[in-house]
Amino acid sequence: MRMTDGILCDIRKTVSRAKNSRFYGGHFRGVEADDIKTAEDFLKLPFTEKDDLRGAYPLGLQAADDEKIVRIHSSSGTTGAPVIIPYTKKDVDDWADMFARCYRTAGVTPLDRVHITPGYGLWTAGIGFQLGAERLGATAIPMGPGNTDKQLKMMEDLKSTVLCATSSYALLLAEEIGRRGLKGKINIKKGVIGSERWGKKMRERIAGELDAELYDIYGLTEIYGPGIGISCGYECGIHMWTDYFYYELIDPGTGENVEEGEIGELVITTLKKEGAPLIRYRTHDLTRELPGECPCGCGFPRIDAIIGRSDDMVKVKGAIIYPGMADAVLAVVDGVGSEYRITIDRLNGKDVLRLFFETALTDGDGIGELEKRVETAFKSGTGVTPESKAVPMGSLPRSEKKSARIFDNRY
Ligand code: ZN
């Protein structure tokens, strides 16, 4: 996004606050806030990585005095130490304001009853959805996850109008409503869906089953939590609340800002945060900035829906390939299953990308023809021509992790 003098002023304040923390005291040794006068000066600041935050465990990120800290959140520590983020009262207030703005963008009003199924605890999920609903003046119903029977009973009895959930849980509830024939008794009109990437097909299924409008909410615990941006009724990207943070899109390899409209890794600098300000924090989420004004009239800039993780992407012949892209390509070719595997090898000095996909067709059914169609679709979607190879249905390994589908053997 565009840098302005006002943002630079906020960045200087953020840097000088951050340096009170143990982590930034060391990370920014030699950096003086007042020396950051131009966009170029800002771009010289080092990135902050998730591992840096883990290394600061437990309270190395705390930049405000103890008496100002009112709350702790933590991002899940599935690998290594968790990240602890301290919040001041102002941080919690700012987050609530941003989240209330998300609900307003989704058309939620004080008359709505907001059914909250994300989890409560150290992480920022459930409590963020609740904060925002209360700040807006709607009625929060803090269900938390699980117990489908109880979810559906409360939804019916309390006439919940807004469902907050991950995409997979929203789908489960939507299908259960259909299966139990409860559709006429459920009043959900809107879904505020967060925390996972989800494809167009899944979105359509949830919207269809629930007969509801869906909104895509974005956020991460390191930067307040969910609610720092949301899609609007035009479903054309996510509006980002850039009065609270500055974002860049970088080439994950070189660290340079990408050209406007190009895919890059989202990097966020907080502008108002007191408890744990972050500067040039690499989210590892891949997206692109969308140009122009949104027809909804909201002036905040938009990024595309998150299309993958920069850790999963590879560069082949100058083009960026990431798992979500292969999903999208294979989804449009008839006769192809959803599982695939990509290998990249260097042969005789050239990069060769092989794409293995599943099909129910057998040799007599024109497999060669199908392979050609997959190659054409992949080339038009990515700019790279693969060697494609059809394999029988069920023969590729199943994995929860999309990253386990691309194998880069070049290095
Ligand atoms: Zn809009």
Side-chain angles (χ1 to χ4, degrees):
M1 62 180 268
R2 209 164 55 84
M3 180 62 86
T4 65
D5 286 344
I7 294 170
L8 278 167
C9 179
D10 280 345
I11 287 172
R12 282 191 290 273
K13 287 182 196 155
T14 298
V15 167
S16 94
R17 269 200 305 272
K19 285 183 76 179
N20 294 327
S21 70
R22 184 167 57 75
F23 168 66
Y24 277 109
H27 198 53
F28 276 7
R29 189 166 295 133
V31 174
E32 292 305 325
D34 287 343
D35 293 343
I36 307 166
K37 294 191 173 76
T38 63
E40 289 70 36
D41 296 336
F42 169 70
L43 293 177
K44 287 184 200 137
L45 297 176
F47 292 114
T48 301
E49 295 277 359
K50 179 111 174 188
D51 275 346
D52 294 330
L53 308 193
R54 290 201 180 102
Y57 181 87
L59 287 168
L61 292 169
Q62 185 176 321
D65 293 338
D66 278 350
E67 67 264 30
K68 292 196 77 181
I69 301 297
V70 300
R71 193 194 285 177
I72 292 294
H73 280 296
S74 165
S75 71
S76 56
T78 43
T79 51
V83 171
I84 302 284
I85 304 288
Y87 293 61
T88 65
K89 182 171 184 307
K90 180 180 188 308
D91 294 337
V92 173
D93 269 352
D94 286 351
W95 184 23
D97 284 342
M98 271 189 277
F99 215 129
R101 196 190 281 167
C102 286
Y103 281 125
R104 240 176 266 122
T105 303
V108 179
T109 75
L111 290 174
D112 277 301
R113 293 184 185 155
V114 182
H115 194 96
I116 299 163
T117 70
Y120 283 74
L122 263 179
W123 54 46
T124 48
I127 202 163
F129 282 91
Q130 178 165 346
L131 263 181
E134 290 174 354
R135 179 61 52 97
L136 178 72
T139 305
I141 307 172
M143 297 297 298
N147 199 341
T148 304
D149 288 343
K150 192 170 175 188
Q151 299 279 4
L152 296 178
K153 175 148 178 49
M154 294 295 266
M155 221 181 262
E156 185 183 334
D157 294 348
L158 294 175
K159 298 189 167 44
S160 312
T161 52
V162 178
L163 172 65
C164 302
T166 61
S167 52
S168 47
Y169 199 52
L171 181 63
L172 185 147
L173 288 173
E175 287 181 339
E176 213 48 44
I177 288 166
R179 198 170 299 133
R180 298 183 190 194
L182 294 174
K183 233 174 176 172
K185 298 178 179 163
I186 297 290
N187 291 278
I188 298 291
K189 303 281 186 298
K190 294 173 191 294
V192 178
I193 311 294
S195 85
E196 289 169 348
R197 298 199 298 279
W198 47 325
K200 197 161 176 260
K201 281 183 181 167
M202 188 172 191
R203 189 189 189 96
E204 281 167 2
R205 261 179 81 197
I206 300 169
E209 288 280 354
L210 284 178
D211 196 14
E213 295 162 8
L214 302 183
Y215 298 84
D216 215 348
I217 197 158
Y218 180 71
L220 56 164
T221 296
E222 294 86 335
I223 314 284
Y224 297 97
I228 67 169
I230 194 168
S231 62
C232 66
Y234 287 87
E235 287 183 22
C236 54
I238 295 169
H239 287 284
M240 298 285 268
W241 309 138
T242 50
D243 40 353
Y244 293 93
F245 55 90
Y246 176 78
Y247 69 81
E248 307 164 65
L249 290 161
I250 63 159
D251 178 319
T254 66
E256 303 282 323
N257 277 220
V258 299
E259 296 295 317
E260 213 179 315
E262 269 181 31
I263 291 169
E265 177 185 327
L266 187 67
V267 171
I268 296 181
T269 297
T270 62
L271 298 177
K272 311 276 186 211
K273 224 160 178 245
E274 298 176 337
L278 291 182
I279 295 130
R280 304 197 81 198
Y281 179 65
R282 293 186 59 163
T283 67
H284 290 259
D285 284 332
L286 287 177
T287 182
R288 74 185 120 213
E289 185 155 25
L290 298 174
E293 291 282 303
C294 182
C296 77
C298 163
F300 285 97
R302 289 167 300 145
I303 57 168
D304 210 343
I306 304 300
I307 49 187
R309 299 277 300 164
S310 60
D311 320 74
D312 305 342
M313 61 161 264
V314 289
K315 250 188 175 170
V316 183
K317 298 173 189 171
I320 288 174
I321 310 282
Y322 50 86
M325 198 176 220
D327 282 334
V329 167
L330 293 178
V332 299
V333 183
D334 284 339
V336 173
S338 61
E339 294 301 313
Y340 63 89
R341 175 169 281 221
I342 289 172
T343 62
I344 302 146
D345 295 275
R346 186 170 283 258
L347 296 174
N348 303 323
K350 278 188 178 164
D351 290 339
V352 176
L353 186 146
R354 292 197 182 88
L355 170 62
F356 300 87
F357 64 89
E358 294 187 346
T359 180
L361 300 185
T362 51
D363 276 343
D365 298 331
I367 277 200
E369 166 76 14
L370 182 63
E371 286 172 347
K372 281 217 180 61
R373 274 196 287 137
V374 166
E375 283 170 16
T376 309
F378 196 85
K379 162 92 170 117
S380 74
T382 66
V384 177
T385 308
E387 288 177 11
S388 80
K389 177 90 186 90
V391 297
M393 224 51 168
S395 60
L396 291 175
R398 264 56 181 161
S399 170
E400 287 292 305
K401 275 184 76 186
K402 286 192 171 181
S403 52
R405 296 178 185 191
I406 297 188
F407 294 85
D408 192 349
N409 305 320
R410 290 173 295 181
Y411 306 107

